Amino acid sequence: MVETGREHSPWNGGGAINQGDTTQTPEEEDFNVHQLQLRSSLAAIYPIFIMMNGVVFLLAIPFNSYIVIKTVTTKQAQTSRVLHFLTNAAVIDLFKLIFVLPITLANLLLQNFVFGAFLCHALPMLQVFPIHASIITYAGLVYDRHQGIRYPDKRGVPPLFFTVASWILAFCSVLPYTGFIAYVDLEALRGPRYQNLGVCFVDQRQANTEDYLRATFFLLFLIPSLIIMFLLMKTSWELSFQRKVAVACVCDEYCMMRKLLDPSLFPAVQVIQSTASNQAAR
């Protein structure tokens, strides 16, 4: 988080807040505290950050909007389980682009925090919430694809369940952030001149802050990412196995007559049989 104006902050040399000192130096009296102050370390390169974020915004908005519109307006797309997951991911990305990216960029570039007490506590939640929701959505998509390929005749979990679960779990996971963020109202410390200005920071006095961050990283990022990779590899092995079995049995009449292999359980067999039948008909 950002501390307001390090050169003009209410912090003393020992790191505590001067709650009783409301006197102002001549330098502070001439300084416009309400003027947006660019970070001195980014003064020479801030256009690069604006350009990179602008490119992401301009490219991602139309692509994600297209997925949502395509799914909503096309009946065939509405029956696709994959598109349901991708639509949820697109909505989450639009949330990031519209509500999170502009405030995050401003918070990165500005030295003084001018967004108020509400955004001081809400901004970390807004930044992390869509990341968790995206990871859960992708994990649900990979799991659904694996189950659909491994057990095509079985009805899978409805995509709506994963959609609702991703939003609820992500929202619940970021609620503890409110207890780790502190906001100091500069108007109460330094007088009316600092109206609507404050210091927003992570309260390191909370003993379980680091434990919470580690837990959310492992439970909602690292473990789901490992599960996604495992299911992707397992799905690849399953497709390879089905292909080999289909090629071995499609021309073996004894195998098919004894029903040692049920073609309905292996989509690859059906594809190869259909192709062979079409070629024979020609």
Side-chain angles (χ1 to χ4, degrees), residues 42 47 61 84 114 117 127 179 209-210 219 234 256 279:
L42 301 177
I61 284 287
H84 276 85
V114 295
Q127 291 172 328
T209 302
E210 294 183 357
L219 295 177
K234 193 174 180 182
M256 301 306 297
Q279 291 178 352

Side-chain angles (χ1 to χ4, degrees), residues 50-201:
I50 296 177
M51 182 182 66
M52 290 190 301
N53 284 270
V55 170
V56 171
F57 185 88
L58 294 176
L59 292 179
I61 284 287
F63 282 112
N64 287 283
S65 300
Y66 173 79
I67 294 176
V68 176
I69 295 173
K70 183 72 173 178
T71 304
V72 173
T73 58
T74 307
K75 290 185 178 181
Q76 184 178 1
Q78 293 176 2
T79 60
S80 173
R81 297 176 64 90
V82 174
L83 278 179
H84 276 85
F85 284 99
L86 294 181
T87 300
N88 186 42
V91 171
I92 295 172
D93 287 341
L94 288 173
F95 179 87
K96 298 177 192 174
L97 294 166
I98 298 173
F99 298 103
V100 181
L101 188 145
I103 302 176
T104 301
L105 179 61
N107 188 39
L108 173 67
L109 298 179
L110 296 179
Q111 178 73 17
N112 48 342
F113 191 85
V114 295
F115 302 110
F118 175 77
L119 277 182
C120 173
H121 293 88
L123 183 56
M125 299 170 60
L126 291 175
Q127 291 172 328
V128 178
F129 161 75
I131 297 176
H132 293 169
S134 295
I135 290 292
I136 297 172
T137 300
Y138 294 136
L141 171 60
V142 174
Y143 172 79
D144 183 77
R145 285 295 80 212
H146 172 267
Q147 294 299 102
I149 292 172
R150 184 68 181 87
Y151 309 104
D153 286 350
K154 293 184 179 180
R155 187 175 182 180
V157 180
L160 181 62
F161 171 82
F162 286 102
T163 300
V164 176
S166 65
W167 287 84
I168 293 178
L169 289 176
F171 179 74
C172 293
S173 68
V174 299
L175 287 178
Y177 266 104
T178 57
F180 304 136
I181 305 299
Y183 180 81
V184 178
D185 187 0
L186 289 182
E187 182 181 3
L189 294 175
R190 307 302 299 272
R193 185 168 179 267
Y194 291 85
Q195 184 179 6
N196 299 326
L197 292 180
V199 179
C200 186
F201 60 97

Side-chain angles (χ1 to χ4, degrees), residues 217-270:
F217 172 77
F218 280 102
L219 295 177
L220 294 173
F221 183 80
L222 182 60
I223 293 179
S225 298
L226 294 176
I227 293 175
I228 290 173
M229 289 188 289
F230 171 76
L231 289 177
L232 287 174
M233 290 188 294
K234 193 174 180 182
T235 302
S236 177
W237 295 334
E238 184 68 29
L239 289 173
S240 177
F241 170 75
Q242 290 186 14
R243 181 72 181 182
K244 292 178 181 178
V245 172
V247 171
C249 282
V250 70
C251 297
D252 189 343
E253 295 181 1
Y254 178 78
C255 174
M256 301 306 297
M257 289 174 60
R258 293 293 302 272
K259 297 182 180 180
L260 298 178
L261 174 65
D262 185 357
S264 64
L265 297 180
F266 293 89
V269 175
Q270 296 176 330

Side-chain angles (χ1 to χ4, degrees), residues 272-282:
I272 296 177
Q273 286 182 325
S274 177
T275 303
S277 299
N278 292 336
Q279 291 178 352
R282 293 178 182 178

